[in-house]
Amino acid sequence: MSASQTDAIVVGAGFAGMYALHKLRDELGLSTRVFEAGNGVGGTWYWNRYPGARCDSDSYIYCYTFDKDLLQEWEWSERYPEQPEILRYLNHVADRFDLRKDIQFGTRVTGADYDEATKRWQVRTDAGEVATAQYLIGAVGCLSASNVPAFRGMDTFRGKSYHTSSWPHEGVDFTAKRVAVIGTGASAVQAIPVIAQQAKHLTVFQRTPNFCVPARNGKVDPDVARTRKANYDAIKENIRNSYFGFELNFIMKSALEAPPEERERVFEEMWDHGGFPFWLANYQDMFFSKEANDVCAEFLRRKIRETVKDPAVADKLTPKTYPYGTKRQPLDTNYFDTFNKPNVLLVDVNDSPIEEITPNGVRTRDREYPFDIIVFGTGFDAMTGPIKKMGIRGRGGEVLADKWADGPTSYLGLMVAGFPNFFTITGPGSPSVLSNMPVSIEQHVEWISDCIKHMRESGVETIEPTPDAEVRWTAHVAEVANTSLMPTANSWYMGRNIPGKPQVFMPYLGGVGPYRQHCAEVAAKGYEGFTFAT
Ligand code: N01
């Protein structure tokens, strides 16, 4: 067993961990070590290699903005970057900033204990290594702990099975295969049309239908790309101060006050434009008023009925049980149209629940379906799952997973009382998954780095939130969520996709811009709500 000591340990080498390493090592001069379970950089984009995987944010803002030259030199080929292209970008960043030399790949952190005597974190890895550091940064992502439902007979299946988030690097050939996809979330919505093109037959097992909006991917007009490059300073400012980290704003009007013809035109424009505007730049009361929401939802339901030829299938694909937008908006390319293909079958597991996985396939209450390949698009133990998996124990041996038994608590989604010098990047209680992730990641990394700089200049060794600040912030996160319709859905934002998980709305809905400003004010007031110790 070897032991190492550094100023900082970062867990994870995705967008967040890579920038944290650059900031702490190259700007603050801290000795920094990164542990990464994958054998390369990229986090989400290293693991999620399923067919059709691409980002739902426009490429020109799904990137780092901290380096002007990097922004100018990288060319995105399409409106939405595909997984291989994002991974190439992140590898380029790793090379450009010489990050790899301080990243230990193929190493999973299995535990981290705070030693009160030395004021250091002791981090253990699956390689049996122990490393200590003053600062511990959890850059483990929000969607990195996969959820594979515990169906009876899971290990009896004689064919191949894959979860979308741990896809084989060599890809999967579906030619002439009978394929099942279980789940219809954002990942499956991307994968299903691509798999259906290749497979002999595809059966989709759906628990909850989704309101999908067309992505409308394509090449970016070179003139548009040039103009954006010339205006990156303004774009950066814009997304940092926006509500969701995009160049999008709500329509400052009620959906109910807009005349029906005007509303129809606006909806059609957003539909034709594709992407997130329908979700994040709709009428301002869409997230707050059920009546306003119904108007938006009905437009999308009509689009499903217009696209899907068999009315019974269209009906099954039409969401009816939750307000529009309260589950993550999937963007699609021919998703609904795929169900018109003769080789595609939709099974609603509410009518016909999955009872077991058999050696030959899937048995529902009604019949057995034979398959060669089963794809689990069943999502993640989101936000808290990856942090809990790190096995964090703070002051007095308190286990973070126990502290969070009834749901996550934090101050600003950045730190937890009783866990000194442990920072979470895009943790629960921050805008994180309700934003364009790189924008929120940069804000957190920069805040953490400024905080550590301040600590070193002030000669203090530890920082942690006061219990009172944590209680107040956690209550505020819930209060803001409860003003909206968001908590009413069975979403992973609420933890409702995981049996037994506490039902708490985890991200902060207060908006990227206002949240950024609040974090800055906290720092300006001498890190109000935190305590320092020497
Ligand atoms: O996972 P999900 P995902 N039996 O949890 C179903 C991000 N993402 O991987 O809705 C049957 O959304 C489950 O049903 P229900 C994005 O933030 C980003 O698709 O819980 N079905 C659902 O249909 C996204 O939100 C991009 O009732 C079961 C599906 O499985 C997040 O990742 C691209 C089941 C899981 O859907 C997660 O998306 C793709 C069971 N026991 C994804 N358990 C980008 O653009 C679960 N399901 C960056």
Side-chain angles (χ1 to χ4, degrees), residues 419-437:
F419 298 79
N421 290 2
F422 169 54
F423 299 90
T424 51
I425 300 179
T426 64
S430 73
S432 61
V433 292
L434 290 178
S435 71
N436 178 28
M437 291 303 281

Side-chain angles (χ1 to χ4, degrees), residues 19-20 22-25 27-30 66 135 137 240 414-415 423 425 441-460 463 516-517 519-524 526-527 530 532:
Y19 185 35
H22 170 60
K23 232 14 207 174
L24 299 181
R25 184 192 70 185
E27 288 187 34
L28 294 195
L30 304 192
F66 68 83
Y135 310 102
I137 322 287
R240 286 176 159 223
L414 273 163
M415 295 199 85
F423 299 90
I425 300 179
I441 286 169
E442 286 193 331
Q443 184 253 333
H444 264 191
V445 170
E446 285 159 18
W447 191 95
I448 293 166
S449 153
D450 287 348
C451 173
I452 292 176
K453 182 163 182 268
H454 169 82
M455 288 169 70
R456 293 177 94 79
E457 285 168 0
S458 320
V460 294
I463 177 171
R516 164 186 297 276
Q517 200 181 333
C519 290
E521 281 164 15
V522 165
Y527 293 88
F530 290 96
F532 291 109

Side-chain angles (χ1 to χ4, degrees), residues 116-288:
E116 290 181 66
T118 58
K119 298 193 177 76
R120 294 291 181 274
W121 282 94
Q122 281 207 342
V123 173
R124 295 183 304 283
T125 73
D126 60 357
E129 193 175 347
V130 179
T132 64
Q134 185 176 0
Y135 310 102
L136 177 61
I137 322 287
V140 287
C142 299
L143 296 160
S144 54
S146 309
N147 168 44
V148 181
F151 293 119
R152 196 171 62 206
M154 278 293 275
D155 49 3
T156 63
F157 182 55
R158 282 199 295 258
K160 301 270 188 212
S161 62
Y162 309 96
H163 190 281
T164 48
S165 70
S166 42
W167 205 257
H169 288 199
E170 65 280 11
V172 175
D173 186 4
F174 292 100
T175 311
K177 298 284 195 275
R178 297 160 305 170
V179 183
V181 173
I182 302 179
T184 52
S187 303
V189 163
Q190 290 183 329
I192 284 166
V194 184
I195 296 175
Q197 281 175 22
Q198 213 183 51
K200 180 168 148 205
H201 193 272
L202 170 65
T203 306
V204 176
F205 292 90
Q206 170 189 273
R207 185 163 74 178
T208 312
N210 251 313
F211 290 101
C212 302
V213 165
R216 307 215 190 275
N217 189 34
K219 298 281 172 217
V220 178
D221 179 338
D223 286 340
V224 172
R226 247 190 313 278
T227 308
R228 284 176 176 156
K229 285 202 171 185
N231 287 301
Y232 254 129
D233 287 349
I235 291 171
K236 180 174 169 178
E237 222 23 50
N238 206 0
I239 57 179
R240 286 176 159 223
N241 294 307
S242 68
Y243 210 82
F244 294 111
F246 296 88
E247 292 203 284
L248 297 173
N249 296 305
F250 290 122
I251 302 165
M252 297 313 281
K253 201 186 238 189
S254 162
L256 303 171
E257 282 163 12
E261 324 73 66
E262 176 188 312
R263 211 165 52 204
E264 185 67 12
R265 182 177 46 74
V266 167
F267 285 165
E268 285 289 354
E269 276 168 16
M270 292 191 289
W271 176 263
D272 288 344
H273 184 268
F276 281 147
F278 202 94
W279 189 35
L280 304 178
N282 212 311
Y283 290 99
Q284 61 171 355
D285 51 352
M286 189 203 83
F287 280 113
F288 305 98

